[in-house]
């Protein structure tokens, strides 16, 4: 802890160059004040890091979820956020409600050496275990071009001198370790397959364990699809029809059932988040999907706003772009449906999980009279859900082809 603060102080003081003695004094005082406000907290279940304190409608951009019980050095940033001091050069933000005050031995915050790494095939997933003496914060990113997963472990130095990789791996081609900054260890996992079916990351003891899911059969038969009907209950009506005042929650549920029926007719197993008009938090929806081990998730909504119209699909992680694209392409085949676009890095909570591909479908605008006139009709809803089903099938075809290359 003291070492960390000292380093920040040094940077603050040295960084100001040839400032006058008086400026030196005030900068040193400010730096000391900042250092005094640094405290140690521990992450709680469900915590995530944000890359900015930007606060648009759905909150600041998320860097990713992070395990519980990781000690973090933080300082106040805004009313709701702490700034997380990941290293001298890197920081992130975390909601204050996602951490708890804690007392830890000062040496817990010291830079620590990483330990051995083991990569094994566990049947449904490849498992990567990175040994550490204490839990450290991490950021994981999955890339599509090239197919890689990059794990940055903050407050660590590479001492992984033993990285076992079994020969029967299905998802992982190999793993390499890089020490870029002297207190960030980076593991690069080169992946075998072009398409992604998700991964989880969590600490088991002090070992960081990443499970990369193997691809399912590329067919709707046996595929487990999570279908989410947006909103629900007395508080969350969603958008209202401009002319009819129909509630979005009602249309979403109607379409979720149609999509369920269409997918099941082709052999898929469907898990609905909500199956009636009840309130359900985003965390509850995500938990239900995780418990049921879904292979992919589609969330159904209707849009609203200004004079805009058209259909659109949304993803957060780049590896889910193709699924959002095949669904959008199919929806755009319907006569009278305009394009509102394919939207990436979208901050919707149900797009955030990395455990399965997730796409949000904003069918049409309830605030636009012509869109509204179409989407309130049952036949039209069913047509849209048929196109979503076709989009998923096109994605499975794409996966089959892409993974063979
Ligand atoms: Zn909505």
């Amino acid at each position: 802890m003291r070492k960390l603060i000292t380093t920040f102080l040094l940077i603050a003081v040295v960084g100001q160059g040839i400032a006058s003695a008086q400026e030196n004094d005030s900068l040193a005082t400010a730096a000391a004040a900042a250092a005094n406000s640094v405290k140690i907290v521990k992450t709680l279940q469900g915590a995530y890091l944000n890359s900015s304190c930007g606060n648009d409608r759905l909150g600041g951009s998320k860097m990713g979820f992070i395990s519980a019980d990781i000690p973090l050095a933080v300082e106040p940033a805004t009313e709701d956020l702490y700034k997380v001091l990941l290293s001298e050069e890197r920081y992130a933000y975390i909601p204050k409600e996602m951490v708890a005050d804690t007392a830890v031995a000062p040496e817990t915050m010291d830079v620590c050496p990483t330990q051995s790494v083991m990569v094994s095939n566990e049947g449904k997933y490849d498992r990567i275990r990175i040994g550490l003496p204490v839990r450290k914060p991490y950021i994981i990113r999955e890339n599509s071009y090239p197919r890689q997963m990059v794990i940055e472990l903050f407050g660590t130095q590479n001492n992984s001198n033993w990285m076992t990789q079994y020969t029967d791996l299905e998802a992982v081609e190999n793993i390499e370790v890089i020490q870029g900054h002297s207190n960030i260890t980076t593991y690069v996992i080169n992946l075998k397959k072009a398409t992604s079916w998700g991964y989880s990351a969590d600490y088991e003891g002090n070992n960081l364990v990443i499970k990369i899911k193997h691809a399912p059969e590329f067919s709707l038969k046996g595929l487990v699809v999570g279908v989410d009907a947006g909103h629900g209950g007395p508080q969350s009506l969603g958008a209202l029809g401009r002319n009819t005042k129909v509630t979005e929650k009602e249309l979403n549920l109607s379409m979720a059932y149609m999509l369920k029926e269409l997918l099941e007719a082709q052999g898929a197993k469907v898990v609905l988040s909500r199956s009636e008009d009840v309130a359900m938090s985003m965390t509850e929806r995500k938990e239900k999907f995780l418990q049921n081990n879904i292979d992919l998730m589609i969330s159904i909504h209707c849009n609203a706003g200004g004079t805009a119209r058209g259909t659109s699909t949304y993803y957060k992680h780049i590896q889910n772009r193709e699924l959002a694209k095949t669904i959008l392409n199919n929806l755009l085949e319907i006569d009278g449906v305009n394009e509102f676009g394919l939207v990436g890095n979208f901050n919707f909570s149900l797009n955030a999980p990395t455990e399965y591909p997730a796409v949000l479908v904003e069918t049409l605008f309830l605030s636009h009279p012509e869109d509204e006139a179409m989407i309130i009709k049952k036949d039209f809803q069913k047509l849209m859900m048929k196109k979503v089903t076709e989009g998923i099938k096109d994605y499975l075809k794409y996966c089959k082809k892409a993974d063979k290359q």
Side-chain angles (χ1 to χ4, degrees):
M1 171 66 188
R2 193 171 299 120
K3 261 186 207 165
L4 186 83
I5 290 173
T6 313
T7 319
F8 282 114
L9 260 171
L10 270 174
I11 289 166
V13 176
V14 173
Q16 29 120 0
I18 49 164
S20 70
Q22 203 177 5
E23 281 171 329
N24 272 347
D25 273 355
S26 61
L27 275 166
T29 312
N36 283 336
S37 67
V38 172
K39 64 172 181 171
I40 308 301
V41 294
K42 263 190 182 176
T43 50
L44 297 173
Q45 198 68 40
Y48 54 83
L49 297 177
N50 277 2
S51 51
S52 76
C53 49
N55 199 11
D56 54 12
R57 189 171 58 90
L58 296 168
S61 192
K62 288 185 186 62
M63 292 168 120
F65 290 98
I66 187 163
S67 291
D69 289 329
I70 302 175
L72 300 175
V74 299
E75 59 182 37
T78 68
E79 200 182 326
D80 306 321
L81 296 171
Y82 282 125
K83 184 174 175 180
V84 182
L85 309 169
L86 294 170
S87 74
E88 285 88 344
E89 291 145 5
R90 298 276 296 277
Y91 56 85
Y93 297 88
I94 193 165
K96 288 180 179 171
E97 62 185 19
M98 298 282 185
V99 297
D101 286 351
T102 187
V104 296
E107 56 272 22
T108 307
M109 302 310 291
D110 288 350
V111 172
C112 72
T114 63
Q115 300 168 346
S116 61
V117 172
M118 168 91 80
V119 191
S120 55
N121 181 341
E122 303 292 328
K124 291 197 164 151
Y125 54 86
D126 282 5
R127 178 180 188 268
I128 298 156
R129 190 212 64 205
I130 302 171
L132 283 171
V134 287
R135 293 184 179 201
K136 290 288 182 184
Y138 56 84
I139 292 174
I140 302 179
R141 150 177 113 241
E142 191 175 356
N143 297 330
S144 280
Y145 315 100
R147 283 288 293 144
Q148 282 180 336
M149 194 174 278
V150 179
I151 303 161
E152 291 180 299
L153 265 172
F154 295 91
T156 70
Q157 287 177 336
N158 170 30
N159 199 43
S160 295
N161 302 319
W162 189 285
M163 301 208 298
T164 306
Q165 298 147 80
Y166 287 101
T167 53
D168 63 347
L169 301 177
E170 275 186 53
V172 176
E173 181 68 44
N174 58 51
I175 181 167
E176 51 186 321
V177 59
I178 301 161
Q179 190 82 54
H181 299 288
S182 37
N183 54 7
I184 308 173
T185 310
T186 303
Y187 295 89
V188 175
I189 301 163
N190 292 301
L191 298 166
K192 285 186 172 177
K193 305 284 186 185
T195 63
S196 166
W197 290 88
Y199 68 89
S200 65
D202 210 349
Y203 273 104
E204 291 179 9
N206 290 329
N207 298 321
L208 181 60
V209 172
I210 292 125
K211 295 175 180 171
I212 306 177
K213 259 177 98 173
H214 297 160
E217 297 292 320
F218 295 131
S219 154
L220 276 182
K221 201 161 189 284
L223 198 75
V224 186
V225 183
V227 174
D228 171 56
H231 309 282
Q235 302 296 327
S236 183
L237 310 180
L240 288 184
R242 180 185 160 130
N243 293 321
T244 61
K245 305 294 174 227
V246 64
T247 60
E248 183 198 337
K249 64 170 185 174
E250 184 186 330
L251 299 188
N252 294 342
L253 188 61
S254 156
M255 287 189 279
Y257 270 107
M258 288 172 184
L259 183 57
K260 179 177 190 284
E261 197 175 307
L262 288 160
L263 289 168
E264 284 175 347
Q266 305 213 32
K269 182 177 173 243
V270 172
V271 178
L272 290 177
S273 55
R274 67 176 176 99
S275 51
E276 50 189 345
D277 182 18
V278 288
M280 201 173 185
S281 73
M282 293 298 173
T283 308
E284 288 168 334
R285 292 170 200 243
K286 183 183 145 185
E287 283 305 315
K288 187 166 179 189
F289 290 143
L290 284 175
Q291 278 162 15
N292 283 280
N293 255 317
I294 61 166
D295 292 312
L296 62 85
M297 195 268 339
I298 308 292
S299 179
I300 304 293
H301 281 249
C302 301
N303 222 334
T307 55
R309 67 175 303 192
T311 192
S312 45
T313 58
Y314 302 73
Y315 63 92
K316 165 77 181 167
H317 309 293
I318 184 71
Q319 61 270 25
N320 298 333
R321 185 178 189 277
E322 193 64 31
L323 176 60
K325 194 174 114 187
T326 56
I327 294 173
L328 181 63
N329 283 345
N330 274 276
L331 287 167
L332 290 173
E333 287 173 5
I334 305 174
D335 275 349
V337 167
N338 289 17
E339 177 174 352
F340 190 62
L342 177 63
V343 181
N345 194 38
F346 194 60
N347 222 16
F348 175 53
S349 299
L350 294 186
N351 278 146
T354 59
E355 286 85 350
Y356 44 80
V359 168
L360 162 67
V361 178
E362 290 279 0
T363 51
L364 286 179
F365 278 76
L366 275 179
S367 51
H368 187 280
E370 287 167 63
D371 273 14
E372 183 193 9
M374 291 192 277
I375 197 69
I376 56 169
K377 293 194 184 107
K378 292 271 179 203
D379 283 354
F380 191 88
Q381 293 170 16
K382 191 152 186 190
L383 179 57
M384 287 205 104
M385 293 307 106
K386 265 186 190 155
K387 294 297 183 183
V388 173
T389 308
E390 288 306 311
I392 298 172
K393 281 170 78 176
D394 282 354
Y395 180 65
L396 294 169
K397 274 185 222 159
Y398 159 84
C399 292
K400 197 171 184 177
K401 204 171 145 201
D403 277 6
K404 270 193 183 150
Q405 283 163 357

